[in-house]
Amino acid sequence: MALGIQNVSKSYPNGVKALQNISLTIPPGMYGLLGPNGAGKSTLMRILATLQEPDEGTIYFGNIDVLRQKEEVRQTLGYLPQDFGLHPNARTEELLNYFAVLKGIKDNKARREVVEALLKQTNLWDVRHQKLGGFSGGMRQRFGVAIAMLGNPKLIIVDEPTAGLDPAERVRYLNLLSEMGENSVVILSTHIVEDVSELCTRMAVINKGQILLETEPHKAIENL
Ligand code: ADP
Ligand code: ADP
């Protein structure tokens, strides 16, 4: 299922044109949205995650009209915002289990299995009883992936996830995302060129609310 974005525009009350007539077709796989601070990435990510409304435009995910069928989108959405605050005293497994309840995974046995599988995939099984407060940046981001992947979302939106990660953590993180999102549309917003060049199958460059380029990463880099 692809995500189709047509002629999406968004201005803020202060007159900032955060998005100007954006059109993109995003196929399954990892897709990079590359742009500097203030380019409009978070605005677009929040609109795709049904948290904000554009002034104009249409967005379809398969047959789902994203701007009108919000509940349908949310059932298949994994959203990892830029600064997700988690209580430092919360314990890893407990909290993931709690989010799984919120996601509607009610059967206890099924939920235990899902939580265990996600903690193992994100390499957090050994620290499942620890508090989040002691986690490194990489561990926190991997925990964010575990939360985002609950319920097998088909549309996964991650906003600037590698900020503050060291290079080794960054590569591990991107690999995790690309493996876990293999059969989904995964949109990764970032200002770091290497994030898109390493694992994204396609990419767009955004600046001042406009798409400057839409291509395969290796072609963009040849043209730099
Ligand atoms: P990015 O995620 O690429 O940094 P944003 O979408 O956060 O970009 O911001 C795009 C532009 O919109 C910036 O100029 C930013 O200051 C402005 N902006 C973002 N949110 C708001 C808001 N709530 N009110 C006014 N301006 C905003
Ligand atoms: P980003 O790192 O995505 O650019 P910012 O740090 O610019 O995000 O913005 C953080 C929050 O402040 C966001 O919720 C954004 O919508 C809001 N914001 C950003 N710019 C403005 C602005 N000029 N006026 C009001 N709110 C803003």
Side-chain angles (χ1 to χ4, degrees):
M1 240 183 351
L3 180 72
I5 302 171
Q6 285 109 27
N7 307 110
V8 166
S9 296
K10 170 75 189 176
S11 296
Y12 287 107
N14 59 0
V16 172
K17 291 180 177 168
L19 299 174
Q20 302 185 54
N21 208 28
I22 301 284
S23 296
L24 288 171
T25 301
I26 304 185
M30 198 139 100
Y31 190 97
L33 183 68
L34 179 68
N37 262 339
K41 301 182 300 296
S42 292
T43 301
L44 184 58
M45 299 293 98
R46 284 194 302 260
I47 289 171
L48 297 176
T50 74
L51 301 173
Q52 212 176 323
E53 302 259 355
D55 303 324
E56 284 173 62
T58 56
I59 303 172
Y60 276 86
F61 182 50
N63 294 324
I64 304 174
D65 180 341
V66 171
L67 300 177
R68 296 209 170 80
Q69 296 171 279
K70 294 200 171 87
E71 283 311 312
E72 284 85 342
V73 179
R74 287 170 191 167
Q75 275 165 26
T76 192
L77 175 72
Y79 175 54
L80 191 53
Q82 201 172 347
D83 303 300
F84 58 98
L86 293 174
H87 200 281
N89 280 330
R91 289 181 199 275
T92 311
E93 186 176 26
E94 260 173 17
L95 189 61
L96 189 59
N97 187 62
Y98 171 72
F99 281 117
V101 173
L102 293 185
K103 266 272 164 175
I105 311 172
K106 293 199 177 74
D107 179 70
N108 284 333
K109 183 164 174 283
R111 198 171 59 245
R112 258 200 313 277
E113 283 168 9
V114 165
V115 165
E116 178 175 339
L118 282 172
L119 289 172
K120 286 181 174 166
Q121 276 174 292
T122 53
N123 207 15
L124 293 170
W125 179 248
D126 293 343
V127 294
R128 67 188 177 281
H129 301 307
Q130 291 182 20
K131 292 179 179 180
L132 299 171
F135 276 15
S136 69
M139 290 162 92
R140 282 177 52 82
Q141 288 306 76
R142 279 186 273 128
F143 187 61
V145 172
I147 296 171
M149 295 291 173
L150 280 167
N152 293 318
K154 289 282 166 257
L155 176 61
I156 299 160
I157 294 174
V158 282
D159 201 355
E160 299 259 5
T162 64
L165 300 188
D166 68 40
E169 276 178 335
R170 203 174 55 75
V171 169
R172 242 179 292 148
Y173 178 85
L174 293 172
N175 273 304
L176 175 68
L177 205 58
S178 117
E179 276 165 34
M180 293 182 77
E182 214 176 4
N183 301 310
S184 307
V185 170
V186 183
I187 307 173
L188 173 74
S189 117
T190 181
H191 61 270
I192 302 171
V193 176
E194 287 78 14
D195 282 356
V196 298
S197 60
E198 283 164 16
L199 286 162
C200 291
T201 47
R202 282 197 78 83
M203 65 172 286
V205 176
I206 185 169
N207 193 24
K208 297 182 179 160
Q210 292 176 306
I211 301 296
L212 303 182
L213 180 69
E214 207 282 330
T215 184
E216 289 169 27
H218 69 93
K219 289 185 184 158
I221 286 150
E222 282 161 17
N223 290 332
L224 284 179

